[in-house]
Amino acid sequence: MTRKAPKWTPPSGYDVKVVPTGKWWDSVRASVKVGEHALKLLGDASGAVVQDRHGPLYWLVTPGAADGWNVRDAQVLGASTAEASYAGVPPAHWTSSPGTHWRIPVGPDCYLTDAQLPHGALALAAIEELGPVEEVGR
């Protein structure tokens, strides 16, 4: 995990803010089933993670660090994607459900996750939760 003081801080107030990805961080979105499994695999190695009200989890990673990923049940939202991407970010004090909240809050010792860590964890979680990918033509 990259451990440095954030250049960006979560919003204050009482509402989720829509933040463009790619400026301060890209986000890696994973379905709830695969994301929960990956979160357990990562343990303390994970940086900040948002969980939206529908269940998917979003890891914050260095802009561009997850470009070119092809991980089942995961999507990179960042400046290099074909379309503009945004992420809903809760206020810093929203750390429990219901609703969009910080599963792992941003803090002085917790910000961006090294993109290689969720890449490996999500790939393994997808296989363990969804089964192996079937080869075409078999």
Side-chain angles (χ1 to χ4, degrees):
M1 170 176 28
T2 302
R3 295 202 179 254
K4 53 184 160 180
K7 296 175 186 172
W8 172 86
T9 56
S12 57
Y14 296 95
D15 203 3
V16 173
K17 300 291 183 197
V18 177
V19 178
T21 58
K23 182 175 181 180
W24 298 285
W25 37 261
D26 285 353
S27 66
V28 176
R29 178 188 186 274
S31 69
V32 66
K33 187 174 189 176
V34 171
E36 289 288 346
H37 191 118
L39 194 59
K40 288 176 187 168
L41 291 171
L42 287 168
D44 292 339
S46 183
V49 177
V50 171
Q51 185 164 21
D52 82 20
R53 65 184 178 162
H54 302 290
L57 292 118
Y58 295 79
W59 277 263
L60 306 184
V61 299
T62 302
D67 289 355
W69 276 24
N70 186 12
V71 177
R72 189 167 41 147
D73 249 30
Q75 176 184 19
V76 177
L77 304 172
S80 64
T81 54
E83 300 173 2
S85 297
Y86 299 86
V89 181
H93 65 279
W94 287 13
T95 57
S96 61
S97 59
T100 301
H101 63 283
W102 290 97
R103 282 293 295 273
I104 302 177
V106 168
D109 294 327
C110 187
Y111 185 41
L112 302 178
T113 302
D114 176 338
Q116 294 306 311
L117 297 175
H119 183 269
L122 288 165
L124 180 57
I127 291 168
E128 292 179 352
E129 291 293 333
L130 306 173
V133 177
E134 301 271 336
E135 289 186 36
V136 177
R138 281 191 134 196

